[in-house]
Amino acid sequence: MKINKQGSGLIGDCLTGELVHNAMKRLAPIVHRTPILTSATTNQLLGKHVYFKMENQQKTGAFKFRGASYKLMQLTKEQLAKGVITASAGNHAQGVALASRKLGAKATIFMPENTPLAKVEATRNYGAKVVLTGESFQEAYTASLEKQMESGATYIHPFDDHQLMAGQGTIAMELLRQEDRLDTIIVPIGGGGLISGIAVAAKYVNRNIRIIGVQASGASAAYDSFHSKKKMKTSTVSTIAEGIAVKEPGEHTLPLIYNYVDDVVTVTDEEIASAIVYMLERNKTLVEGAGAAATAALFAHNDQINSRHCGVIVSGGNLDIGMMARIQQLASEDRHTERKSLIAL
């Protein structure tokens, strides 16, 4: 892999390609080098070579373990001894819990009371203390901040932290070592930590790579902010892709998105559901809503994606199986009939 120094970039004293490269070396012994999946059927249908980066096969079933691990690696022994704290209803909770166990820190995770039991138990099984509080993520988040001020534990933000972004960015460097012909990478966006790390890392290697972000149409704050060139937030979010259901992008992620991301698009829940079914039936892999968003965009916006070798970030696979009936119903309503006919083959 050749390194393009001109593409390293710097926003303030924040996130650089060098930082991501260092994170990759530090994380190599503990994270899975997740595979890329290719499909002749997909290539033929879309008229381009597609490479799915399978972070649903990462430890804890999602990419979050990378960023959480690198963030905790930066803490002193004294900080680790005081423990870490965060709020999450999903993949971030499990990533922080496992990273904390591996580095010998006590983790406290605040989760909404309506969090599915399977996610709560998974987080506890990784060794974290789970505190169930509030009806929404926002209430859990507020409670976690109050506890952090009392305890002195280090707060591990789910996306708005440059060291955490560097850990997520290792996905791009790993992917470009696996396939160096990529000219485009499609990435889901929630708060923006994943795409910020990937965009900086990818353009550190090759500044000509196009980075396309994807949001659910029912949670489009980063999309709105990107195209209006000012920070936007939504009062409510509604999507089956709960992993990217964020009301506003981060203070640190948004400048990076402005500077390094080439385009942001949206996809409907029907398109996301259809992508989940497609990945399950055609590629025999289980993907959650957020993890299917980039695949959904690849199909929904294929005519506008000028690419010969396209990477697609499959960010996670922790799907609540109880949602499958709803997902199948939504997929049947997807307007992209060409894809539906392929799934039926």
Side-chain angles (χ1 to χ4, degrees):
M1 178 178 67
K2 295 181 179 180
I3 300 298
N4 168 30
K5 295 294 185 182
Q6 294 180 347
S8 60
L10 185 67
I11 301 295
D13 59 349
C14 308
L15 181 64
T16 65
E18 288 90 347
L19 182 61
V20 182
H21 192 253
N22 178 67
M24 187 172 181
K25 291 188 290 185
R26 295 288 304 279
L27 290 175
I30 66 168
V31 302
H32 288 321
R33 185 176 185 267
T34 54
I36 55 174
L37 184 152
T38 60
S39 164
T41 300
T42 303
N43 294 349
Q44 182 178 7
L45 177 66
L46 297 175
K48 52 177 61 75
H49 296 280
V50 179
Y51 308 86
F52 297 100
K53 180 61 170 166
M54 306 302 288
E55 281 295 296
N56 62 324
Q57 297 183 31
Q58 186 54 259
K59 293 177 181 179
T60 74
F63 72 95
K64 292 283 191 177
F65 178 65
R66 293 178 184 260
S69 295
Y70 187 65
K71 174 63 179 178
L72 265 68
M73 285 177 173
Q74 311 312 306
L75 303 184
T76 65
K77 290 182 179 179
E78 291 76 16
Q79 287 174 313
L80 289 171
K82 289 183 178 180
V84 299
I85 190 168
T86 194
S88 171
N91 293 332
H92 179 64
Q94 295 175 57
V96 170
L98 180 57
S100 298
R101 188 176 76 182
K102 287 185 174 293
L103 293 171
K106 179 181 178 182
T108 302
I109 317 288
F110 282 71
M111 308 180 84
E113 292 175 351
N114 61 357
T115 302
L117 181 61
K119 292 185 177 181
V120 174
E121 290 303 315
T123 303
R124 285 176 174 153
N125 288 341
Y126 287 125
K129 176 184 177 181
V130 174
V131 179
L132 297 174
T133 184
E135 296 181 358
S136 69
F137 168 78
Q138 190 60 44
E139 291 176 3
Y141 176 65
T142 300
S144 70
L145 291 177
E146 293 172 355
K147 183 63 176 179
Q148 188 272 332
M149 299 207 41
E150 294 175 9
S151 66
T154 298
Y155 202 88
I156 310 298
H157 197 279
F159 54 83
D160 211 21
D161 180 288
H162 293 108
Q163 292 169 341
L164 186 127
M165 293 178 219
Q168 322 301 28
T170 61
I171 297 170
M173 289 193 172
E174 192 174 284
L175 174 59
L176 289 166
R177 287 187 173 183
Q178 293 167 306
E179 179 48 69
D180 62 7
R181 294 175 295 177
L182 292 181
D183 53 50
T184 304
I185 303 176
I186 308 176
V187 190
I189 307 178
L194 175 63
I195 197 168
S196 295
I198 284 178
V200 169
K203 295 198 175 188
Y204 176 71
V205 178
N206 177 0
R207 63 183 175 183
N208 295 317
I209 289 179
R210 283 180 54 80
I211 305 298
I212 301 174
V214 184
Q215 287 214 292
S217 57
S220 62
Y223 171 87
D224 296 337
S225 299
F226 181 84
H227 290 284
S228 68
K229 299 302 179 186
K230 62 181 180 180
K231 187 174 183 180
M232 306 287 284
K233 61 181 179 180
T234 59
S235 58
T236 60
V237 292
S238 177
T239 175
I240 60 170
E242 73 280 355
I244 53 174
V246 177
K247 292 183 178 180
E248 61 181 308
E251 293 291 336
H252 300 303
T253 61
L254 189 57
L256 292 163
I257 291 171
Y258 285 149
N259 280 274
Y260 291 95
V261 174
D262 296 284
D263 196 10
V264 180
V265 300
T266 61
V267 289
T268 66
D269 273 5
E270 290 81 4
E271 289 162 348
I272 292 170
S274 190
I276 292 172
V277 173
Y278 180 83
M279 292 296 286
L280 184 60
E281 294 193 348
R282 301 300 303 181
N283 293 325
K284 313 306 178 191
T285 188
L286 185 65
V287 180
E288 64 187 84
T295 303
L298 177 68
F299 281 98
H301 301 280
N302 183 53
D303 290 345
Q304 290 77 47
I305 298 174
N306 183 18
S307 172
R308 293 185 63 193
H309 297 275
C310 186
V312 176
I313 306 301
V314 181
S315 59
N318 293 319
L319 179 69
D320 181 356
I321 298 300
M323 290 182 62
M324 279 308 302
R326 173 65 174 154
I327 288 167
Q328 288 177 305
Q329 177 187 350
L330 286 168
S332 70
E333 299 168 3
D334 181 12
R335 68 181 185 274
H336 288 85
T337 56
E338 182 180 32
R339 181 174 14 155
K340 288 194 294 182
S341 65
L342 176 69
I343 292 172
L345 291 177

